[in-house]
């Protein structure tokens, strides 16, 4: 088994979904259904492109390395690479919902 497969198997048990997309935005590897893949990648790709352009507008020498945002029930982490994007979808624990940020 390759290092990539081992890493995916380690992460798979801890998150709700893991998705790796190619430079064209199409899914390369995923732990989610095709319907979830296409819906998530469509929105995420648009959001990442806009966020990356904002970062470059602020300082052209910078580039975005991680995008993390929290929804009511999920947290989404995106690492945009040059040749691929890794999207991780994780559920928020019920115990963390009531916790106030420090």
């Amino acid at each position: 088994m390759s290092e990539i497969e081992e890493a995916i198997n380690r992460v798979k048990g801890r998150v709700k979904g893991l998705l790796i997309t190619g430079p064209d935005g199409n899914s390369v590897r995923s732990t989610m259904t095709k319907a979830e893949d296409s819906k998530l990648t469509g929105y995420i790709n648009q959001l990442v492109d806009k966020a990356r352009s904002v970062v470059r507008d602020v300082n052209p020498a910078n580039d975005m390395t991680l995008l993390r945002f929290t929804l009511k029930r999920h947290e989404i982490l995106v690492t945009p690479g040059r040749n691929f994007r890794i999207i991780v979808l994780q559920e928020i624990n019920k115990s963390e919902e009531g916790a106030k940020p420090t």
Side-chain angles (χ1 to χ4, degrees), residues 69-76 89 92:
F69 52 98
T70 305
L71 308 171
K72 260 186 175 177
R73 296 183 194 137
H74 298 98
E75 181 176 49
I76 300 175
L89 177 68
I92 296 176

Side-chain angles (χ1 to χ4, degrees):
M1 186 182 301
S2 72
E3 287 182 54
I4 294 172
E5 291 297 327
E6 289 176 21
I8 288 172
N9 288 333
R10 273 193 312 247
V11 172
K12 204 168 28 174
R14 298 181 181 172
V15 298
K16 181 174 182 191
L18 174 70
L19 176 65
I20 301 173
T21 64
D24 56 357
N26 291 328
S27 175
V28 175
R29 294 261 168 81
S30 177
T31 62
M32 298 183 278
T33 66
K34 291 271 189 200
E36 291 172 325
D37 280 2
S38 61
K39 185 175 182 182
L40 188 60
T41 55
Y43 292 126
I44 294 294
N45 287 334
Q46 290 177 16
L47 185 61
V48 166
D49 292 342
K50 289 179 183 181
R52 185 175 253 171
S53 77
V54 167
V55 169
R56 287 186 181 150
D57 286 348
V58 171
N59 185 347
N62 284 337
D63 194 14
M64 186 175 66
T65 57
L66 176 71
L67 176 63
R68 176 182 174 185
F69 52 98
T70 305
L71 308 171
K72 260 186 175 177
R73 296 183 194 137
H74 298 98
E75 181 176 49
I76 300 175
L77 295 100
V78 183
T79 57
R82 183 168 303 196
N83 298 321
F84 61 89
R85 289 183 179 158
I86 300 173
I87 303 167
V88 177
L89 177 68
Q90 48 187 25
E91 290 187 31
I92 296 176
N93 294 336
K94 298 287 185 197
S95 61
E96 293 178 6
E97 282 184 15
K100 293 181 181 174
T102 55

